[in-house]
Amino acid sequence: MSNQKVTLEEIVSLAKRRGFIFPGSEIYGGLAGTWDYGPHGVTLKNNIKRLWWKRFVDDREDMYGVDAAILMNEKVWEASGHIAGFSDPLVEDLKTKKRYRADHLLEEAGINPAGMTLEEMTDAIKENSIMSPDKNELSEVRQFNMMFKTEVGALGGQYSYLRPETAQGIFVNFKNVVDSMQPKMPFGIAQIGKAFRNEITPREFVFRVREMEQMEVEYFVHPDEWEKNFNHWLNQLREWMEDIGLTKGRIHEVDIAEEDRAHYSTKTIDIEFDFPFGQRELYGLAYRTDYDLKKHAEHSGAKLQYRDDVKGEVFTPHVIEPSLGLDRTFLAILTSAFTKDTVGGEERAYLKLNKELAPVRVMVSPLLKNKPELQEKAREVFSTLKKEFGNVMYDDNGNIGKRYRRQDEIGTPYCVTIDFDSLEGNDVTVRNRDTAEQERVKIEDLISKLS
Ligand code: ATP
């Protein structure tokens, strides 16, 4: 239910216990800001990506996909402004040397840091006697660039960065896509891929990580038509969130004020979500004007324009950018799906995932493990369903009650159990995750029942 409270601890512990997400490099003590997706986690993540790609690329006529390299020419990041400006304000605990986001500490103290210079932040920290979380004094505020720098080639001297966003891989391919695909205006280029940010304080599970995945669209429009297309994408985001089962009451659309927007954007709406630790940014939708293409044209010398042969017009397209974090989507889905109720006098937790997302669609098991005739029949049903649905799991560990609980926590919509009656009657028990109710279904009707 939407108003159910779920804690981050409950989600983190379920994610680990059930093979969704593990701490990165765990046996070596971990690496802050990195998480590894386990067997069910990678399936759920792939399902999210598949739905996104289908909805925003395959099902549309006006979208083109790319998969650009993570390492890009250093000049890309000069042009985009990331070398000069992709930084966060940082303060250091003078005793422990731990670093924190100055704007976050100010916010936590009830002070709005929007629009403040570094000096003003330093002053505000002093005036309000703000201390580090360990109750020590803090350093002055300075800028910290969040890009991971790396050396390219054996000779040294040439640098690159792990991309901090997928967007630039799209902009630098604008001309290639126009020349090879001859798209009609308006059109979009989409990309899903890894992005890296050396966050000062990674925290809150996969909400703020140093290695993440993004799903981004840059949608190119005629300058006169930006508003119409902005609204189109806002609606697209709303439909997407409904489709993946995000709890409506947890979603907030926040119109970002001018002083908080990136300098090139004239309108931004952040989609914020009530995570277990508070209301935070889930997605961003920005009108980026012609800033990016103009900057890259300027720095590269390439002609990044569009020729409309019908109107005889040549112009630099403007851009609408819906930017989605995959890891935050994953966490928002778990937060929305996590449900507690009481079944047969016993409390249980389950993930109310929609069928398209659930990592396991059906679990098949024999009622008893040590009966060959049940095993054989169950294997038969399993093979048939696996051929049909793919993500079907066979489980004969522990007793049947434990298996159901386990599948509830994985979010498996249906469990199919083969018992002694199945051998004669050719029917099985189908248990529904959400109601925990069971019904008898003929084996020949199973596929249509579970579809
Ligand atoms: P924040 O203010 O929370 O740092 P941002 O405004 O810097 O986020 P954008 O640069 O707009 O984020 O990135 C687009 C999307 O990428 C975000 O809406 C979010 O979903 C995701 N994202 C950004 N940074 C991270 C991160 N460190 N960990 C996980 N997801 C992230």
Side-chain angles (χ1 to χ4, degrees):
M1 259 182 285
S2 63
N3 54 1
Q4 270 194 341
K5 279 226 155 44
V6 47
T7 65
L8 187 61
E9 290 67 37
E10 284 173 312
I11 293 181
V12 174
S13 122
L14 182 143
K16 170 118 203 264
R17 193 167 63 243
R18 293 296 166 227
F20 283 94
I21 301 179
F22 311 125
S25 320
E26 192 181 12
I27 60 169
Y28 287 102
L31 176 66
T34 65
W35 295 88
D36 295 341
Y37 287 78
H40 291 314
V42 67
T43 309
L44 174 50
K45 196 154 92 147
N46 283 340
N47 289 345
I48 300 170
K49 291 196 262 190
R50 189 174 39 78
L51 286 186
W52 187 91
W53 196 265
K54 177 171 174 356
R55 167 182 275 272
F56 294 122
V57 184
D58 289 344
D59 286 354
R60 297 177 61 125
E61 266 185 66
D62 57 347
M63 294 290 294
Y64 302 85
V66 294
D67 183 16
I70 289 174
L71 297 175
M72 303 177 81
N73 190 309
E74 203 178 359
K75 289 182 187 145
V76 171
W77 306 110
E78 274 164 27
S80 68
H82 281 82
I83 288 180
F86 190 63
S87 52
D88 272 338
L90 167 145
V91 275
E92 215 170 75
D93 178 316
L94 291 175
K95 207 159 167 196
T96 65
K97 303 289 172 207
K98 280 192 215 159
R99 291 162 167 199
Y100 302 95
R101 284 270 294 264
D103 51 338
H104 287 173
L105 293 182
L106 286 167
E107 271 166 14
E108 280 158 19
I111 299 160
N112 181 6
M116 280 190 185
T117 62
L118 296 181
E119 290 72 33
E120 284 164 350
M121 283 192 205
T122 303
D123 291 346
I125 285 175
K126 284 217 179 87
E127 279 159 23
N128 295 282
S129 314
I130 296 173
M131 297 290 197
S132 77
D134 294 325
K135 307 271 172 292
N136 299 314
E137 278 198 51
L138 292 164
S139 70
E140 292 193 343
V141 181
R142 30 188 198 95
Q143 289 291 15
F144 170 75
N145 194 299
M146 289 161 61
M147 285 198 295
F148 285 98
K149 194 171 186 177
T150 185
E151 213 163 346
V152 178
L155 293 176
Q158 194 193 345
Y159 294 97
S160 183
Y161 298 86
L162 301 186
R163 66 179 175 205
E165 59 175 36
T166 53
Q168 300 306 323
I170 295 178
F171 292 125
V172 302
N173 280 296
F174 170 81
K175 191 172 180 325
N176 283 331
V177 172
V178 169
D179 290 349
S180 59
M181 308 306 289
Q182 295 90 35
K184 299 259 178 317
M185 271 284 160
F187 71 94
I189 306 180
Q191 171 160 238
I192 298 178
K194 291 254 181 178
F196 303 81
R197 297 181 183 188
N198 198 2
E199 296 279 357
I200 295 165
T201 35
R203 57 180 176 176
E204 285 148 351
F205 199 29
V206 293
F207 177 81
R208 187 172 300 288
V209 289
R210 289 184 169 137
E211 175 174 342
M212 59 160 147
E213 253 178 301
Q214 291 184 315
M215 308 184 285
E216 294 195 298
V217 168
E218 305 302 329
Y219 199 69
F220 300 96
V221 305
H222 188 280
D224 294 344
E225 307 222 300
W226 76 266
E227 203 155 11
K228 186 173 102 188
N229 285 293
F230 190 93
N231 292 331
H232 166 78
W233 280 100
L234 184 56
N235 280 323
Q236 288 296 305
L237 286 181
R238 289 176 183 147
E239 281 174 26
W240 159 256
M241 291 187 286
E242 192 175 336
D243 261 26
I244 58 171
L246 299 195
T247 307
K248 215 167 176 190
R250 287 183 181 267
I251 300 169
H252 310 273
E253 290 173 10
V254 183
D255 207 330
I256 302 299
E258 192 179 346
E259 64 267 25
D260 293 344
R261 283 196 301 260
H263 59 283
Y264 49 75
S265 173
T266 32
K267 185 167 178 75
T268 297
I269 288 186
D270 275 356
I271 307 285
E272 299 188 346
F273 184 83
D274 292 322
F275 289 99
F277 38 84
Q279 182 179 330
R280 302 287 156 76
E281 174 176 332
L282 172 64
Y283 303 143
L285 175 63
Y287 169 40
R288 298 176 69 112
T289 67
D290 56 2
Y291 176 82
D292 309 273
L293 289 182
K294 280 227 162 111
K295 278 280 168 213
H296 283 302
E298 214 175 280
H299 283 252
S300 67
K303 218 170 162 221
L304 303 181
Q305 290 192 311
Y306 183 84
R307 170 188 296 277
D308 187 329
D309 286 331
V310 180
K311 289 191 188 144
E313 194 184 355
V314 178
F315 60 94
T316 305
H318 282 217
V319 167
I320 310 293
E321 178 195 71
S323 176
L324 291 80
L326 181 53
D327 310 84
R328 287 186 190 178
T329 305
F330 196 107
L331 186 53
I333 288 173
L334 289 192
T335 306
S336 301
F338 193 98
T339 313
K340 280 184 269 188
D341 67 1
T342 312
V343 170
E346 246 186 81
E347 266 200 23
R348 68 160 181 165
Y350 70 100
L351 290 185
K352 205 171 181 165
L353 293 173
N354 87 27
K355 278 182 226 164
E356 297 300 317
L357 288 175
V360 179
R361 192 181 186 106
V362 190
M363 184 273 275
V364 178
S365 71
L367 182 63
L368 300 171
K369 189 178 181 167
N370 51 2
K371 297 286 175 213
E373 61 274 39
L374 291 186
Q375 288 274 12
E376 195 187 330
K377 190 85 184 163
R379 280 276 164 200
E380 223 174 83
V381 173
F382 169 71
S383 304
T384 312
L385 294 181
K386 192 145 186 74
K387 253 186 229 134
E388 178 69 23
F389 299 115
N391 52 346
V392 178
M393 188 173 165
Y394 190 85
D395 188 1
D396 58 7
N397 288 314
N399 66 40
I400 192 75
K402 285 212 178 100
R403 289 178 220 158
Y404 287 160
R405 291 287 173 280
R406 195 152 55 225
Q407 294 303 321
D408 281 343
E409 289 197 330
I410 294 167
T412 307
Y414 300 108
C415 291
V416 168
T417 304
I418 284 80
D419 55 22
F420 289 105
D421 291 340
S422 310
L423 302 178
E424 319 249 294
N426 254 323
D427 56 2
V428 296
T429 299
V430 174
R431 176 185 178 272
N432 179 303
R433 174 195 67 199
D434 300 346
T435 60
E437 274 166 12
Q438 309 188 12
E439 61 176 308
R440 286 306 274 193
V441 176
K442 286 274 175 211
I443 291 175
E444 70 222 44
D445 299 334
L446 255 186
I447 287 179
S448 69
K449 167 81 195 163
L450 303 176
S451 286

